[in-house]
Amino acid sequence: MDTQSDSDIQETKEWLEALDSVLEHEGVERAHYLLERLIDKARRSGAYLPYRANTAYINTIPPSSEAHFPGNQAMERRIKAFIRWNAMAMVVKANKKFDGLGGHIASFASAATLFEVGFNHFFHASNENHGGDLVFFQGHSAPGIYARAYLEGRLTKDNLHHFRRETFNKGGLSSYPHPWLMPDFWQFPTVSMGLSSLMAIYQARFLKYLCNRNILCAEERKVWAFLGDGEMDEPESLGAISLAAREKLDNLIFVVNCNLQRLDGPVRGNSKIIQELEAVFRGAGWNVIKVVWGSYWDPLLARDKDGILLRRMEEAVDGDYQNYQVRGGAYTREHFFNKYPELQDMVANMSDEDIWRLNRGGHDPTKVYAAYAAAVKHSGQPTVILAKTVKGYGMGIAGEGQNITHQQKKMGEEALKVFRDRFNIPISDDEIGDAPFYKPAPDSPEMQYLHERRKALGGYLPTRRNKIEPLEIPTLDAFELLLKGSKEREMSTTMAFVRLLAALTRDKKIGRYIVPIVPDEARTFGMEGMFRQLGIYSSVGQLYEPVDIEQVMYYKEEKQGQILHEGINEAGSFASWIAAGTAYSNHGINMIPFYIYYSMFGFQRTGDLAWAAGDIQARGFLIGATSGRTTLAGEGLQHQDGHSHHLAATIPNCISYDPTFAYELAIIIHDGLRRMYQEQENIFYYITVMNENYSHPPLPDGVNEGILRGIYLLQQGREQSPKVQLLGSGAILREVLAAAELLEKDFGVTSDVWSVTSFGELRRDGYAVKRWNLLHPDQPTRECYLEQCLKESTGPVVAATDYIKQHPDQVRAFIPRQYTVLGTDGFGRSDTREALRSFFEANRYYIVVAALQALAEEKEISSDKVTEAITKYGLDPEKPDPLKV
Ligand SMILES: Cc1ncc(C[n+]2csc(CCOP(=O)(O)OP(=O)(O)O)c2C)c(N)n1
Ligand SMILES: [Mg+2]
């Protein structure tokens, strides 16, 4: 507050005294009420009062309101010192032995108190009395979490020696939290900045959803997310905070470690990150608790009756604060306090050392404790704690507060000694060069205290659960509707999928565990029928009468609603899907999420979440609707997806399929249910569906295995020559079938038509077999599934899909014959399906020409036939290349 512009000091004083009196006699709530009334009155009288979302740059909780710290401070400080030492030693050792292994010292050094207060007093482990808190640990603070687990006896010295060397060392520790690599330990992959915040918000919301749906109520559980101040610049970090407030997620606590630095330098050198974040979170409706100053400042602030210290605190920018930390007490006196004579006097009796000891809130356990205690008690809002700390705290000359500190992985002997002395680690000068790990004796008071605290909180964490009771999956008959064919009735695979989903939700055993998730596209996919049938989840029910109440399929929001409608928010939907897909691990219940979205806005837009889903081992189905470059007529370049399958294939445990017929879809989803929820395989599914209507044949005999493995013979041609093998998938398979007819009718060429449900799975199988052959030269060569399928057949092979040519190209190594691929390389554009398929040269006519060309090359027919086809079908040889226009 700018006190210099006060035009009537006496009047101000009277008002402030009046307020003081209310605060003293009637309490904060009354004071708040009166202030709000005054502001309201002024606004109603026409005054323009600009909104200020900031409070003063001091702790939100005044010393008089701080919850009492119940722990033994000296003991906790010693335990924390050992953890600090071991975390640092882990990184230093790793890089000493293997230059370039990396790791971070400075981040945990700044966050140690934030974590330790949590471990000693707040984080509940999962046990029979408590579901367990869900803690998203800042990724690159992992060494600190390992160091604590070492003291707790959950990790050994050998584990620590293998930090960042996991490949051939059982028990090696992953660089960052990766459940895939340490499946009994880490729960949440957090190191891709921004995803933690998003995933934590949707995790907290999913807990509320489970409770409102009477599946599982765990109101005692909190979701904690430890985030960096630099990380808050990621759009994902802030992108969902309004949802958290709207949903009143009082089970959610963010702790932002505001060490004022990111990797390269200051986060906000020219202003203050804490104030900026406060305004953003307060504006969004969060409970904001600032922990700016440590206890050493309390006496000074208490004496600051005229607010001059506060003014100085607000004037200084983060770049200045970084300097004060790095340059020490004398510098701080000169540049911070000496600016105003009153402040100069205030610290006149303090030594430079005393000034340097003036601590930041995030390093003061009593302040951190008070903030956490207030946060866990707060109801009706999520809480964010903005804690000011020092990056590289304790690293001294090796990097405390320096711009290079983030990357600092080595510490020389001198620096190690300083670190040791600062934290009183009992390691002698003789040993220190090696940075040995330190662990006190099991019967030492520190170790007893550490275990006792964890015992009081129910055990140790993080720990991750891998297996639970399997679900009973319905038999395939449940999908009979899709297996028996649609006869003359035309429908899309999207429609078939919606029917299947509806059938699943009605299943007695698993129906209630299905979680349909949609961004704002349910109507696009014909899912509006589900609004009424399942209800759209709303934590407050429906407070209004929907405009379409008269209709059967009205927009029904309800507290027990099953559908998670996330609005136009693919990243949020994905995070919701991850929360549901990991319910087996985090909550011990198998939830079955189906996230249905525009396929173009999937892997391409939210691919990093998909990668995280692989790491976290989410189980469930991603349904890429309106997929393919040419099925989605009209929508054009930014909507038409010709590569999502390619992106899906990059995730090792993502199984992808591109089915054409309803029965294929049914077989695939049924097997997915079996594998994920019965066998508990750590995989997830990406399945594309289309919006093109056609009739669906019944399930042929004997093709189930082929559908699942990626290819089966759909239509066998006569045994004669010339013959070709035609492969097709998804939207283009029907063009392939049409091409087979044309080849026969116009050119007397017969063909076998293969439905390829998954080029990706065929490729994986192919390379697995190839690898086996490579390593077993002394044994009979094995054939992959694709080779087995094609070996009896004759003629060149032609494949066409609605995806880029790379997609069918990925199995080339397993087709030891001539292999031609057609695809949809290039930018999409709006037009009819027919025009698009012609434009991309992936329609029946081009398939015929490609087949004839292949036969001509093999001298099975004359090349005149190819020219004849081009003319006959009116193809323009001079047409521009679709990749270039
Ligand atoms: C999406 C993403 N971009 C970049 C990085 C690389 N990176 C790791 S830590 C870091 C700096 C983090 O700064 P901050 O969030 O302030 O955390 P601090 O270490 O200061 O606690 C960066 C850029 C990453 N992990 N993820
Ligand atoms: Mg930072």
Side-chain angles (χ1 to χ4, degrees), residues 57 260 272 293 297 312-339 343 352 355-358 360 388 390 400-401:
Y57 192 54
L260 316 186
K272 285 194 275 298
W293 310 110
W297 286 94
R312 186 69 191 103
M313 283 171 161
E314 299 199 333
E315 275 170 5
V317 291
D318 283 354
D320 294 327
Y321 284 110
Q322 193 184 350
N323 266 317
Y324 304 146
Q325 188 65 32
V326 171
R327 295 177 202 272
Y331 178 93
T332 309
R333 183 193 300 279
E334 189 187 334
H335 292 268
F336 183 80
F337 290 106
N338 286 358
K339 179 153 184 201
L343 296 186
D352 290 347
I355 289 180
W356 196 67
R357 210 174 288 125
L358 289 168
R360 293 187 183 171
K388 185 163 166 169
V390 178
E400 180 166 295

Side-chain angles (χ1 to χ4, degrees), residues 81-90 92-93 96 150 157 160-161 413 416-417 419-420 425-439:
F82 303 147
I83 294 175
R84 284 180 182 287
W85 173 267
N86 289 331
M88 174 277 296
M90 199 181 314
V92 168
K93 272 174 180 303
K96 215 169 176 179
Y150 168 58
K157 207 178 261 189
L160 266 52
H161 276 293
E413 201 157 317
L416 288 173
K417 281 183 185 160
F419 196 101
R420 174 199 63 187
I425 312 293
I427 289 174
S428 69
D429 279 358
D430 297 345
E431 302 169 290
I432 199 146
D434 254 7
F437 295 124
Y438 179 76
K439 187 171 176 175

Side-chain angles (χ1 to χ4, degrees), residues 229-230 257 259 261-262:
D229 48 357
N257 176 14
N259 55 23
Q261 290 174 245
R262 42 178 156 73

Side-chain angles (χ1 to χ4, degrees), residues 629-636 640 691 829-833 836:
R629 190 90 86 205
T630 69
T631 35
L632 185 59
E635 290 292 318
Q640 291 161 340
N691 63 342
R829 56 210 58 213
S830 44
D831 213 317
T832 61
R833 285 191 189 105
L836 287 169

Side-chain angles (χ1 to χ4, degrees), residues 473-484 489 491-507 510-511 514-516 525-527 530 533-534 562 592-594 596 621 623 659 661-673 685 687-689:
I473 301 305
T475 57
L476 195 53
D477 318 337
F479 302 148
E480 215 211 309
L481 204 65
L482 305 192
L483 300 177
K484 65 183 188 195
R489 189 162 173 231
M491 66 171 176
S492 64
T493 42
T494 306
M495 221 183 283
F497 165 73
V498 173
R499 286 173 161 209
L500 181 150
L501 188 61
L504 274 180
T505 58
R506 282 193 287 267
D507 184 88
I510 66 167
I514 305 285
V515 186
F525 310 138
M527 291 175 67
M530 290 193 168
Q533 182 211 336
L534 302 179
Q562 193 164 351
I592 310 176
F594 284 88
I596 307 104
F621 296 91
I623 306 291
F661 298 121
Y663 64 79
E664 295 175 348
L665 187 67
I667 301 269
I668 290 163
I669 291 183
H670 184 259
D671 198 56
L673 291 170
Y685 278 64
I687 305 171
T688 42
V689 292

Side-chain angles (χ1 to χ4, degrees), residues 107 138 140 191 193 228-231 234 259 261 391 406:
S107 302
Q138 184 192 35
H140 52 287
V191 81
M193 315 256 104
D229 48 357
E231 179 175 12
E234 291 285 1
N259 55 23
Q261 290 174 245
K391 188 142 180 169
H406 187 87

